[in-house]
Amino acid sequence: MLLEFEKPIADLELKLQEMKELAKGKKIDLATDIQSLEEKIQTLKKETFQNLTRWQRVQLSRHAERPYALDYIYEITNDFVELHGDRTVKDDKAMIGGLGDIEGRTIMFIGQQKGRNTKQRQERNFGMANPEGYRKALRLMKMAEKFGKPIVTLIDTPGAFPGIEAEERGQGEAIARNLKEMFMLKVPVICIIIGEGASGGALGIAIGDKVYMLENTWYSVISPESCSSILWRSWDYKEQAAEALKLTAIDMKNNGLVDGIIEEPLGGAHKDMKAMAKILKQTILDSLKELDRIKPEKRIEQRIDKFCSMGVFEV
Amino acid sequence: MAWFKRTDKGIKTSTEEKKDAPDGLWFKTPKGNIIHTRELKNNSYVCPDDDYHVKIGSKEYFEILFDGNKFEELDAKMKSGDPLKFVDSKPYSSRIEQTITKTELNDAVRTAVGKINGLDLVVACMDFNFIGGSMGSVVGEKIARAIDHSLKNKIPFLMISKSGGARMMEAGFSLMQMAKTSAKLALLDKAGIPYISLLTDPTTGGVTASYAMLGDFNIAEPGALIGFAGPRVIRETIGKDLPKGFQSSEFVLEHGFLDFIIDRRQLKNRLTTLLKLLNN
């Protein structure tokens, strides 16, 4: 699975591989050719990825090979115990959570989970949680608070699920409650958008002392496609909608709506999952170090003040 | 000379001098009942024949609730910025200007403090006429400040929601208004000050997923559309027709998310009873 702008790079990489094979087999000295091709690839990669359009970043955030929440969690923790269920209705597989440790520190991990193949995608409902998912998340957050463990949420959702049962069980109420309760959590909360951050479905687990976005992710009130269909009355203006919504990590950071951007390996997180996980782990550790120094009441106050200062208006 | 003989030819009144015809002297309900608007006004904008609740705005709600229609409006002058320089079919800034002229409102919520049957109450009321009652920075900020007023003066807070959801033209900023208002409500909750959320037709999207569903008391007018996702989106997602009465106030009450449904004609007195019960 390659995106349009990944193709020229992939073509060159294939050529490089062929060249290396050739050099191995026939003992011809292609070292200089190989080196120049490698340099060419690197330059092309840099050029491509430094000049991504907003829509291209949206595409990267949805890349079929992009690492998902559980990929990162298993990569960065020594032990991880997944916990299930909201204790009321069922276990929502679009929302995962559990206790894990990094460098001896136990953390409550919570996140939306997408699937890799058709079967998994259905099981995970494409990362679209139902109310029980948000209630499961809240149950785990309250547990973390009880045991004094910090919370890390990994956000990756095209939205909260719009379905009949979701409405019957109060999708709006479930998200609203999470927003309110998360402000009052006494433990540090770190939220990281690792893929898609669509609207209330994302925000429902994204009230944190630190909110970060990976470089190639998006976070906004609506997806570019839906925005296009509503404001332009056609699905064809998604690129334009992506531009107008200013939904990338850089935009959101510039507008003061997130705290920071986490750099991805060149070519995107899917090109080097282990390297990405390492950066993620370091960010979590650094943030915890900073947040540990603040008293819980002060942390809550700062969390509230931060979100309350967001907005542009004239008095 | 015949009394009816026209001496001057043509119509003499200039266009400017012509009075606008009252905007619908008669109102027709969806069931086809016709009622004079004056009678409608005297009946809290509810049709006496079929109990249809006409969609009304902050002006009418304030008039229904506040004693003698007396209240002090908060942050009345606050207006929207255009942080993203958003342009769709027209620039957001001119959309705002035009809507202000058309509706004589500054944004989609008005907040005020006054008395209902002698009891202090802070009221925030949304106006659907203003870009579909959408929630942008101004809506979030005015609600936040109204809650601050409640907190500071220990006065109960009533939120009247009527909204299609978040305002797309403020994108990320509008999303964060959900967080902002929820944060303030968390503080109100902690302070033990009552919060009553009245959901009216329609209340959907980010408004449902934040302050509208966070009341100590969630109440609704009869027959209102209340939901997170809009009916069209759900129908398209699941590819099935929706059951009758889906996402109506009655449906939401049945599923346990409302305390009660209130006829607008009884609203003021029921709120008074509730507030008095809390005070005793």
Side-chain angles (χ1 to χ4, degrees), chain A residues 167 169 180 310 312 314, chain B residues 79 137 180 189 228-229 247:
Chain A
E167 296 292 325
R169 296 199 282 267
K180 187 176 140 189
M310 294 174 184
V312 174
E314 296 157 16
Chain B
K79 280 185 192 173
S137 300
K180 180 195 283 184
D189 192 20
F228 172 65
Q247 295 185 313

Side-chain angles (χ1 to χ4, degrees), chain A residues 162 167-172 176 179-180 183 199 220-221 230-231 244-246 255 257 307-308 310-314, chain B residues 78-79 84 86 137 141 166 168 171 174-177 179-180 182 189 209-210 227-229 234 247 251 255 257:
Chain A
E167 296 292 325
E168 285 175 344
R169 296 199 282 267
Q171 187 72 285
L179 304 183
K180 187 176 140 189
F183 276 109
S199 198
S220 193
V221 77
I230 295 172
L231 291 183
L245 287 169
K246 311 250 183 332
N255 283 324
L257 300 173
F307 282 92
C308 284
M310 294 174 184
V312 174
F313 47 85
E314 296 157 16
Chain B
M78 195 186 290
K79 280 185 192 173
L84 304 177
F86 197 99
S137 300
E141 185 66 21
M168 265 173 283
S174 78
L175 182 64
M176 296 311 162
Q177 304 312 308
K180 180 195 283 184
S182 304
D189 192 20
S210 58
F228 172 65
I234 299 174
Q247 295 185 313
F251 171 94
H255 284 91
F257 294 96

Side-chain angles (χ1 to χ4, degrees), chain A residues 83-102:
Chain A
L83 303 167
H84 296 273
D86 72 336
R87 299 294 186 271
T88 307
V89 178
K90 59 156 82 158
D91 182 45
D92 189 337
K93 291 177 179 59
M95 185 76 80
I96 57 95
L99 287 166
D101 68 320
I102 54 176

Side-chain angles (χ1 to χ4, degrees), chain A residues 72 75-76 273-283:
Chain A
Y72 288 127
E75 181 64 28
I76 64 178
M273 196 276 265
K274 283 189 192 303
M276 186 70 252
K278 208 174 154 193
I279 302 171
L280 210 60
K281 182 174 162 181
Q282 199 51 51
T283 309

